[in-house]
Amino acid sequence: MSMRDQNKWPSHPRECRELIAEYSNEVANLCENLLKILSINLGLDEDYLQRVIGGEEIGACFRANFYPKCPQPDLTLGLSPHSDPGVLTILLPDDHVSGLQVRRGDDWITVKPIPNAFIVNIGDQIQVLSNGIYKSVDHRVIVNSGKERVSIAFFYNPKADLLMQPAKELVTEDRPALYGPMTYNEYRLSIRLRGPSGKSQIKSLKTKQ
């Protein structure tokens, strides 16, 4: 680490950790409330989604992303196309530099950040649990030619050893189960072996009808 980098490092790292912990707790509460809304919209008990992903024993990950400026942004990506494997992703974007793109049909749409607002991505496990009613977000990150970019992502994931499968209330003769059961650990391992490749991972779970 250079002297210049050391000067940027917080002088009170313990306070920094406490701030991150407080932020993560508040965002986790937001995720719980969002899952209640999604559950109700699916016609399920409001605590259904939270309960089946592990209740209070969920997994979570906080990640800060730094994307340096690139003189030829058309020749590289900050992050390849993919959908998030977990339940929800709460992204705090850089208010001043756009970088996130989402797929709509065959097009990539740049998401313009709104000050003091989160971006919420639905993950693959919600697509599985909702039997395909909700769709996970296929997205990528581009870099900027003139500006650096920082974003903070909070990943809200299931308890790793629980089987994730469509809610039985959402499986009917007209709409059979679209996805086979798999633990989040197994699913995450399959992604690591394949690498990010759009939504091919969630498609691979589809059962033969």
Side-chain angles (χ1 to χ4, degrees):
M1 181 183 293
S2 69
M3 288 300 296
R4 182 179 179 184
D5 292 332
Q6 288 177 359
N7 289 336
K8 292 181 180 179
W9 191 253
S11 59
H12 302 288
R14 179 176 177 80
E15 292 180 10
C16 182
R17 288 196 294 269
E18 291 171 355
L19 180 62
I20 291 173
E22 182 181 356
Y23 175 86
S24 298
N25 286 334
E26 292 298 329
V27 178
N29 290 335
L30 171 62
C31 289
E32 288 188 34
N33 288 325
L34 289 173
L35 288 185
K36 288 180 181 179
I37 295 171
L38 296 180
S39 295
I40 292 170
N41 285 345
L42 290 168
L44 305 170
D45 293 338
E46 71 169 25
D47 66 339
Y48 178 86
L49 290 174
Q50 186 67 45
R51 186 174 71 249
V52 298
I53 68 169
E56 295 183 358
E57 297 184 58
I58 53 91
C61 176
F62 174 98
R63 187 166 70 202
N65 303 303
F66 172 73
Y67 301 97
K69 59 186 178 181
C70 177
Q72 294 180 291
D74 54 322
L75 299 182
T76 188
L77 284 173
L79 196 59
S80 300
H82 67 287
S83 56
D84 293 330
V87 175
L88 293 172
T89 301
I90 308 296
L91 182 69
L92 181 62
D94 191 319
D95 288 346
H96 307 291
V97 187
S98 297
L100 177 67
Q101 291 187 329
V102 297
R103 187 191 293 276
R104 186 170 66 186
D106 295 327
D107 299 321
W108 287 101
I109 308 300
T110 299
V111 179
K112 295 181 179 180
I114 299 173
N116 303 314
F118 290 118
I119 295 171
V120 179
N121 283 347
I122 284 178
D124 290 342
Q125 302 311 314
I126 292 294
Q127 183 165 331
V128 169
L129 293 167
S130 70
N131 203 26
I133 295 174
Y134 287 117
K135 302 293 191 296
S136 59
V137 180
D138 193 4
H139 59 287
R140 68 182 186 183
V141 178
I142 58 174
V143 293
N144 190 281
S145 61
K147 294 182 179 180
E148 300 170 342
R149 176 173 172 269
V150 175
S151 66
I152 295 174
F154 182 84
F155 301 95
Y156 198 70
N157 301 324
K159 189 172 182 289
D161 59 353
L162 292 179
L163 279 178
M164 296 290 104
Q165 55 191 325
K168 67 179 188 304
E169 293 88 345
L170 303 177
V171 175
T172 65
E173 290 185 7
D174 296 331
R175 190 180 181 86
L178 298 178
Y179 306 99
M182 180 180 285
T183 69
Y184 183 59
N185 258 349
E186 293 169 333
Y187 186 64
R188 188 166 46 185
L189 177 60
S190 72
I191 291 176
R192 288 175 179 170
L193 294 175
R194 296 182 184 188
S197 52
K199 293 190 63 173
S200 63
Q201 289 89 353
I202 187 70
K203 291 177 181 178
S204 71
L205 290 184
K206 280 204 166 184
T207 59
K208 295 181 179 179
Q209 304 298 328

